[in-house]
Amino acid sequence: IGRPGTGLHPLRGQNNVQGASDAGLIPMMLPDYQHVSSAGVRESFERAWKLPAGTIAPTPGYHAVLQSRMAKDGKIGFLWTSTTNNMQAGPNVNGEIYPGWRNPKAFVVVSDVYPTVSAMSADLILPCAMWMEKEGMFGNAERRGQMWRQQVKAPGDCKSDLWQYMEFSKRFKTDEVWPAEILA
């Protein structure tokens, strides 16, 4: 108690730490809870993913609060959150989150199912389908994976978060974001 990462919502990149930790979607971890600071772990993933040696950085990326600080400082120009309400659930919102989201150099996109405070603070809102309006899988605290099928049609222009990511990925060229040696 009272140590970083031990609260109800550890600041590791998102509030759903369990699923993110499994998949390596938090700033300091690769899949299966493998820490980026370990040279052996990085080398193993680089081999498995056929990446040039040294591609995976040994330092953690920015956690959720630091992302907003970096946007405030102009070091991040684009933030995209999905079904997380940073503007209401984050710490010290007025000093940490909001200033970065309102920096005119930063463009903030929110994918969400409700008009949350975060959505109302964003530059662009992408309406998301809820769990029963799409198919998908999730993991839970018992370490079970569950799959569900779409039960009802999503209202209006709502789309699944996966659909949004796939459409976004079609709209940039890999050579705009990765160096030639990685692409090779």
Side-chain angles (χ1 to χ4, degrees):
I1 297 174
R3 294 181 323 234
T6 61
L8 176 61
H9 299 296
L11 297 177
R12 297 195 212 169
Q14 69 173 41
N15 293 339
N16 171 13
V17 176
Q18 181 258 317
S21 298
D22 290 347
L25 302 176
I26 57 176
M28 78 290 287
M29 296 286 183
L30 290 162
D32 195 28
Y33 298 85
Q34 311 251 357
H35 206 283
V36 298
S37 65
S38 167
V41 165
R42 290 191 313 276
E43 291 166 8
S44 172
F45 278 97
E46 287 168 345
R47 277 193 309 276
W49 293 340
K50 299 182 174 112
L51 295 172
T55 299
I56 300 173
T59 54
Y62 300 147
H63 57 68
V65 175
L66 190 52
Q67 290 170 17
S68 294
R69 288 178 191 160
M70 295 295 108
K72 178 176 70 175
D73 294 343
K75 295 179 181 170
I76 289 180
F78 180 77
L79 290 171
W80 184 357
T81 67
S82 182
T83 59
T84 183
N85 193 355
N86 297 43
M87 289 298 297
Q88 190 160 352
N92 189 11
V93 171
N94 291 330
E96 297 287 357
I97 310 294
Y98 193 66
W101 284 39
R102 296 309 344 129
N103 181 345
K105 295 179 183 175
F107 190 79
V108 178
V109 177
V110 169
S111 295
D112 214 332
V113 298
Y114 299 110
T116 62
V117 176
S118 295
M120 292 185 281
S121 302
D123 297 299
L124 175 65
I125 303 167
L126 299 176
C128 267
M130 293 186 73
W131 68 270
M132 75 292 265
E133 300 164 348
K134 61 184 178 178
E135 66 177 34
M137 293 195 68
F138 69 93
N140 58 30
E142 295 94 34
R143 311 316 256 182
R144 289 182 290 129
Q146 295 181 312
M147 190 262 187
W148 71 92
R149 303 223 184 268
Q150 183 177 359
Q151 301 297 306
V152 296
K153 184 178 179 339
D157 293 327
C158 294
K159 302 289 185 192
S160 76
D161 39 5
L162 178 59
W163 182 91
Q164 292 174 5
Y165 306 146
M166 296 301 291
E167 288 301 307
F168 175 78
S169 71
K170 294 175 186 177
R171 288 164 170 76
F172 69 87
K173 296 182 176 127
T174 54
D175 57 353
E176 294 173 334
V177 292
W178 290 297
E181 76 172 34
I182 290 178
L183 294 173

